[in-house]
Amino acid sequence: MSQPPPPPNQPPQQPGFGPPQEPSEPQPPAPSAPATPPTPPAQPPQQPPAGPDVNKAPQPQPGYGYPQAPGTPPPAAPPTPPQGPGYGYPQQPPAGYGYPAQQPGPYGQPPQPGPYGQQPGPYGQPQQPGPYGQQPPYGYAQPTVPMQAQPGQPGGGRKINAQVAIIVSAVVAIALIVGGGVWYANSSGKDDDKQTTAEGGDTKGGEGDGKEGGSGDGGATTGEAKEKAPAATGSKVLFQVPSPKVPKGVTTISIAGSWLTDSVYAKSGLSEITGYDRRTGTKKWTLDLPGPVCAATPHITEDDKTAIVHKPAMPSKTDPQACTEVAVVDLAAGSKVWTKTAKSGTMPVSFNNVTIGGGTVAAGSTSGGAAWDLATGDERWAPKTSDSCYDAGYGGGAKLVAVRKCGSYDQRQLHIQNVDPKSGDILAEYKMDEGIEYAAVVSTDPLVVAADVGDSAGDGSGISDFFSIDNKTGKLRARLSAPGDEFAARCDAIYKVENCTGVTVGNDRLYIATEEHDSGGDSYSQTNEVVAFDLATGKQTGQRADAGENYEIFPLRMDGPNVIAYKRPPYDKGGQVVSIDGESFKETVLMENPSTEAVRDVESRMSPDYSEIQFGQGGLYMSSVYASDFTSREKEYSVIAFGTG
């Protein structure tokens, strides 16, 4: 293909469930600079099928959770992994454009293919997580040996093909991390100004096929679309945030969390959150934190409140610190509203995820969960825990949904619970079949859950099927089959329960990106589409929005009845933001970014799968979620912002 995507800039999340163990967190390998994009081959390659058949009939619909065979029990004694940088990463492959489509698996396993010709993503790996399942360490490597699974510890029965896929994927995911930012830089010099600003761009935009499906009036989609095409869609770089220099001895630190309000773009730094003026990038406020942000909810209340989990201090080589502090942040004032902790017995709980729903802040982990009043910080309820059940995490927004895990690793059962935000009472519950170990909440209203059933996705995406569930009764409305080799959505169902990319929900439909495939004809180009599924029937509607030659399209969010999507560009063009009409699927270009090399260089590193992308009111904000001491260029940026008008 003429333009393979550059490697992702975010390392995958660590695996594991059950009562957390405390092994040390090893450090990832250093990255290499991207190579020059390859030229098309002299002879046309054999062309694979041109993407999924958007009109095909769905597979037969197994009922109530889509059963799978139980996972294979782990070996009595794990093999010793090859020596390397730790955390299960094999030796570093060539990075950048044109890196191999397959990588050798560890322990003599066969190569594992991945999406876009890359390695698979972060699911099912056998390595144990770092302390409390959080970020990589504070600067030292240790050989990591897979720990033997214990009774009652989930994840031990994962199939070896999924384990190998994850280990391989992690190399590329971390090899080219773009660091996080805490300093504002409107310019870095006259030459840089010229290269990172564009007066305009190509305003032409493609249209989809416009195939219409059923009207679909369900879901939480209300109101009219707010995003309108400007008179000139060509954008310019509004500002950039350079990567911070992580402290000496640090390998990687999480800088997850970015939010967009009417006046502020806020972004997490090493141990702070900074609010920038949306248009100029001028710092409006800085909220200092005692330690890094571990997890953040994307949800914002009407009065600009959000929630985070952070460490109580900066990690050190001897003390990586746990993610024990849950806080509500006022994004308008740049201040903390409150900070709370919770205990499991006498030990503080280290949280993996946090969300907001119904005026409640809820945080979950393998060692317990808790919920607080959003306004006051008063504890509202805590989930009942036992030797075999715990609330792994929550999905928020319009409603509050818990993913509760019960049973041992070889008899895992997930309970998807619609929870009363104030009391914690279960309003409705759907029990998935045993053997489905992980699930992610894509939407709480309508309720949609993603899962990798039987480890069948095969690409590390964490998704083989979506489950449309009735919020009131807990009954399964429909199962939507989304094979990993056909669809490009990803979910981190292991830790960040509501962290999904390449998919959005509205109009009682699910909108999902397909995998890249040949454009067809005599062209060597690649492309993909966004297609729609009816949540009531589980069938595709026939609607399709095409990315265009050598573009790759990703749905970001709903805008009233319309879908806002980002188009990752070819290596010689700038990206686009488009609005897809919810009925006709006609595409309207809202923004086209500069095609200058310096701008493309920064934008191309913000992969939609491994970055945070916010768009609103004519502004596009792209940021990384990890800061690292690995650098391959003179300048690294953690945030780049584009604007029209």
Side-chain angles (χ1 to χ4, degrees):
M1 56 183 161
S2 60
Q3 193 271 318
N9 71 337
Q10 176 192 357
Q13 307 298 325
Q14 289 85 347
F17 281 104
Q21 304 196 18
E22 305 298 328
S24 298
E25 297 174 277
Q27 111 185 33
S32 301
T36 303
T39 56
Q43 298 297 326
Q46 183 176 358
Q47 295 187 0
D53 181 358
V54 298
N55 294 309
K56 70 179 182 181
Q59 297 298 317
Q61 306 285 319
Y64 203 68
Y66 190 31
Q68 69 167 37
T72 304
T80 302
Q83 297 300 315
Y87 201 70
Y89 297 116
Q91 285 69 30
Q92 181 179 346
Y97 291 103
Y99 52 83
Q102 294 185 336
Q103 295 295 327
Y107 319 138
Q109 297 300 320
Q112 302 294 322
Y116 321 112
Q118 301 179 21
Q119 291 73 18
Y123 300 93
Q125 59 206 51
Q127 283 71 24
Q128 300 298 314
Y132 305 97
Q134 296 304 323
Q135 300 81 260
Y138 201 75
Y140 62 105
Q142 294 185 3
T144 301
V145 179
M147 298 181 66
Q148 183 174 355
Q150 302 298 323
Q153 178 179 345
R158 303 285 288 175
K159 296 182 180 179
I160 188 64
N161 62 339
Q163 296 173 349
V164 173
I166 294 315
I167 296 171
V168 173
S169 164
V171 178
V172 173
I174 201 154
L176 285 174
I177 294 171
V178 177
V182 294
W183 300 290
Y184 161 70
N186 196 29
S187 64
S188 302
K190 294 181 178 179
D191 292 339
D192 195 48
D193 268 348
K194 294 177 181 178
Q195 291 182 312
T196 58
T197 303
E199 295 302 324
D202 185 358
T203 60
K204 293 185 293 183
E207 295 184 357
D209 287 350
K211 295 180 181 178
E212 297 185 2
S215 59
D217 58 356
T221 303
T222 58
E224 297 181 358
K226 296 180 180 179
E227 306 296 346
K228 307 297 182 182
T233 57
S235 72
K236 64 180 180 180
V237 175
L238 300 177
F239 62 93
Q240 298 173 91
V241 178
S243 302
K245 293 182 179 179
V246 296
K248 185 178 181 181
V250 173
T251 301
T252 307
I253 290 182
S254 169
I255 53 171
S258 62
W259 305 269
L260 192 61
T261 73
D262 289 340
S263 60
V264 169
Y265 170 72
K267 174 62 185 168
S268 296
L270 293 182
S271 59
E272 64 184 10
I273 300 175
T274 302
Y276 301 93
D277 181 277
R278 289 178 50 129
R279 298 296 299 181
T280 67
T282 303
K283 285 185 180 181
K284 301 187 73 170
W285 50 261
T286 297
L287 173 61
D288 293 325
L289 301 171
V293 173
C294 307
T297 179
H299 301 298
I300 304 175
T301 64
E302 291 183 359
D303 58 349
D304 293 341
K305 304 293 195 306
T306 192
I308 62 171
V309 175
H310 66 85
K311 296 188 175 186
M314 289 297 291
S316 67
K317 183 175 181 179
T318 58
D319 187 359
Q321 297 291 327
C323 298
T324 57
E325 315 297 301
V326 177
V328 166
V329 176
D330 187 330
L331 297 172
S335 61
K336 269 190 183 182
V337 179
W338 51 258
T339 302
K340 298 292 179 179
T341 60
K343 288 186 177 181
S344 178
T346 59
M347 297 296 294
V349 176
S350 182
F351 294 104
N352 298 325
N353 56 76
V354 65
T355 195
I356 295 175
T360 293
V361 176
S365 75
T366 58
S367 55
W372 300 268
D373 183 273
L374 175 63
T376 65
D378 295 337
E379 183 172 327
R380 282 189 164 177
W381 47 267
K384 294 180 180 180
T385 58
S386 66
D387 292 338
S388 60
C389 290
Y390 61 93
D391 282 11
Y394 302 92
K399 297 184 182 296
L400 189 62
V401 172
V403 177
R404 187 167 178 83
K405 294 179 177 289
C406 293
S408 59
Y409 75 91
D410 58 345
Q411 292 180 318
R412 175 73 66 209
Q413 186 174 43
L414 302 183
H415 299 196
I416 309 302
Q417 300 173 337
N418 182 16
V419 176
D420 185 309
K422 294 184 178 180
S423 67
D425 293 340
I426 300 172
L427 303 177
E429 182 178 62
Y430 171 69
K431 294 181 180 180
M432 305 185 82
D433 278 6
E434 290 185 2
I436 302 176
E437 296 186 50
Y438 313 115
V441 179
V442 181
S443 168
T444 60
D445 187 20
L447 179 53
V448 180
V449 172
D452 185 358
V453 179
D455 296 329
S456 59
D459 62 348
S461 65
I463 305 172
S464 66
D465 296 83
F466 293 91
F467 296 84
S468 173
I469 301 168
D470 189 295
N471 251 320
K472 296 181 180 180
T473 66
K475 293 182 179 180
L476 182 68
R477 298 176 65 199
R479 179 182 64 84
L480 292 63
S481 178
D485 60 347
E486 294 184 14
F487 297 94
R490 305 177 70 89
C491 289
D492 179 3
I494 296 179
Y495 285 125
K496 314 292 193 239
V497 170
E498 61 177 356
N499 182 16
C500 295
T501 60
V503 62
T504 191
V505 172
N507 304 319
D508 207 34
R509 297 171 188 166
L510 180 139
Y511 302 96
I512 183 172
T514 69
E515 286 284 6
E516 277 192 302
H517 55 82
D518 282 357
S519 298
D522 296 330
S523 173
Y524 304 125
S525 63
Q526 297 277 298
T527 190
N528 79 322
E529 302 82 29
V530 169
V531 298
F533 283 83
D534 189 307
L535 292 176
T537 66
K539 298 179 180 179
Q540 291 188 32
T541 65
Q543 297 164 305
R544 182 180 71 187
D546 295 311
E549 187 172 332
N550 281 328
Y551 284 88
E552 187 178 8
I553 190 169
F554 294 84
L556 298 177
R557 63 173 177 86
M558 298 301 297
D559 174 33
N562 298 341
V563 179
I564 300 298
Y566 171 73
K567 287 188 176 182
R568 196 175 191 193
Y571 69 88
D572 58 346
K573 294 182 180 180
Q576 294 181 349
V577 177
V578 298
S579 176
I580 304 171
D581 185 278
E583 290 303 319
S584 68
F585 256 48
K586 178 180 179 180
E587 296 178 43
T588 300
V589 176
L590 303 179
M591 173 182 290
E592 181 154 9
N593 294 334
S595 60
T596 57
E597 182 178 358
V599 177
R600 296 198 324 264
D601 183 65
V602 180
E603 182 180 5
S604 66
R605 287 175 169 247
M606 302 297 182
S607 163
D609 279 332
Y610 300 96
S611 302
E612 295 173 341
I613 300 179
Q614 308 276 356
F615 178 83
Q617 301 178 28
L620 174 67
Y621 306 83
M622 310 177 74
S623 66
S624 58
V625 294
Y626 275 82
S628 171
D629 62 349
F630 300 133
T631 57
S632 59
R633 307 176 182 215
E634 293 183 1
K635 295 177 182 177
E636 298 281 357
Y637 297 95
S638 69
V639 175
I640 185 168
F642 300 92
T644 56

